[in-house]
Amino acid sequence: MSASHTGAGEHQLDIPHSAEEPIEGLPAGFGKGILGKAAFWIAFAFSLFQLWSAAYGTLPSQVVRAMHVGFLLLLGFALLGNLVAKTRSGTAWFWALGILGFLTGVYQWVNYVPLIHRSGFLTTTDLVVGSIMLVLVFEGARRLMGLPLTIIAGIFLAYCFFGQYLPAPFIHRGYPTDMIIEHFAFGTEGIYGTPIYVSAAYIFIFVVFAAFLERAGMLALFNDFALGLVGHWRGGPAQVCVLSSALMGTISGSGVANVVASGQFTIPLMKRFGFRSAFAGGVEATSSMGGQIMPPVMGAVAFIMAETLNVPYVDVVKAALIPAVLYFGVCFWMVHLEAGKAGLGGLDKAKLPDPWKAVRQHWPLVLPLGMLVYLLFAGYTPIFAGTMGLALIVVLILGTPIAALIGPFAFRMVFWITLGLAAAMFMKFGVNILMLVIGTLIAGCLFFKGGHETLAICRDSLAEGAKNALPVGIACAIVGIVIGTLTLTGIASTFIGAIIRVGESNLFLSLVLTMITCLILGMGIPTIPNYIITSSLAGPALLELGVPLLVSHMFVFYFGILADLTPPVALACFAAAPMAKTSGLKISLQATKLATAGFVVPFMAVYTPALMLQDGGPMAENYGYWVEVAYVLFKACAGIALWGMAVVGHLFGKALWWERIAAFAAGVLMILYLPMTDEAGFVLGLIVVIAHWLRVRRIKREEAAA
């Protein structure tokens, strides 16, 4: 196993690893000088605390949540002071805010039992600490996530204070200030609600896991594998972009970050190959955002969804599997058609890397990801699976320099087998045996060649993982204000009632209204808070209208993702704009075409839940469940394929205007859930494709004869 790494000294703390990219609201790195080192080691300590609490679970959940928010505020403000502040006084101010935020978490830890006893009768000091924490969360979210999410949360909080003065149906009975502060700053339905619990218990581990894999060379493996496997296909560079983004989605869930990380290489390559700038940017934005629906991580929303619905995590992954395949299948198909329209072929296969050779060379990197997927599907909890996957990658990284010193191949295999068995003893003897194995490897790395560099990889991965978790953690904290308002005031029932009244006469109209709500909210806020807010409002309403629970939550999740691709905001597209050297709006229009499946599949799943592997319908009763699944999948593929022909204007050759209209109509008929529409769609689609093929073949014969 190979891993690229820079030196382990001071220079490395100031200049970030080349794989690290800026995250929302912050430049790359930790800063320079003493404060840069301090921020680095705070991030390192943050990761150690989270991993220790996950491995041993001895702290009360409320304490873990409070310290998680405290570390988020400390690290977030410290990085703002180091990387954003222009003056020394500004730097000092941010650091003071960070320390103050961290102390609010310490206060809850120290006073955990007294606070329980004082529930409902908080002291003045409690209320002051709670107020400070609320203000700091808002300021941290404003700095790191931008104004839209902060404004939305602020409106909800203001509603708690002033809702009693509003007209019906928005009026509530009114709540005293101390009750509001206690609800949001000390209970488990405000800042420390389910979202921050999931961030602390699940998301953080998977973010650190991804950081370790990236440091160990997983990105290079993904790129080599994608390049060798699909680079020779028609439109090769764009196909590589789609596949590598799909693979990246298995370990990383940040769509915009994926655009920034991979787009600087893929977009120029696509442009040099002959693709239009807007299309190249659209391919990168669409495929990168698709990583959030790709199991097993799914942009961390899968963990929140499983916790919110109280269903096994594997059920969420199963529901997302077919839609994810369809999403990326459409991306491949649209690239294929666009490349055919532009007369572009593929890359020279002889010059491409062997994908399976890349896997053979870096096969140890696949083991942690494979173990993670196995444990998740075997029914283990995400926190257990994530911890074990992370422990395995750490063992592999630490064992590599030691194994490199063992000469004969057979002896190296014995070393790895022994190490694997020792780590596997965790299943019988508990986490201490695993810590003993890791501790022994760390001690060994101190005395062997290459060991210090390997330890630096682990150190830097822990720090980078904590920094990468900042946007998600802050978003989960601030969105707790929204959830807390819904539980305190009951305003959600008003929104739910409105959707139900519309849906009683027209379910499709209710779905469209929900979609519009998700797209509008998603214009300014990330996917996770968008999902949490809209699922809290629209999810129960869709359930009342007969939509299966998991499908209703997937519905709002998907359109929350698509908000980053649709005009006018389209964050992922504007992130790709500087690299494509064209406007974000033009990229957004291309991305919207490419993401056809993302718009269609949620509606199809509502009417045919088998598409998300939920309960079957009449066809399942008559012919069997898997027959219905296969039929719905085939119908979706056929309809989307025809839409691709209509949108791009190419199949076997250039499509005429009437062929495009007919193909679009056939696709619509296949998607609709009405009597005889499937049959009509298949017949019309078959006629269009055959007529188009015959016409193109005739033209080619005439050209050849001439």
Side-chain angles (χ1 to χ4, degrees), residues 61-112:
S61 177
Q62 183 75 3
V63 171
V64 174
R65 301 181 199 199
M67 290 303 298
H68 185 70
V69 174
F71 266 115
L72 288 171
L73 294 174
L74 175 60
L75 181 59
F77 282 118
L79 291 174
L80 287 168
N82 290 355
L83 303 173
V84 177
K86 304 297 184 183
T87 63
R88 288 187 177 182
S89 59
T91 300
W93 170 250
F94 280 122
W95 272 89
L97 293 180
I99 293 170
L100 193 60
F102 182 74
L103 291 177
T104 63
V106 175
Y107 181 85
Q108 294 233 18
W109 189 350
V110 173
N111 294 280
Y112 172 66

Side-chain angles (χ1 to χ4, degrees), residues 468-484:
N468 293 340
L470 266 179
V472 177
I474 289 292
C476 288
I478 191 71
V479 84
I481 298 291
V482 177
I483 304 303

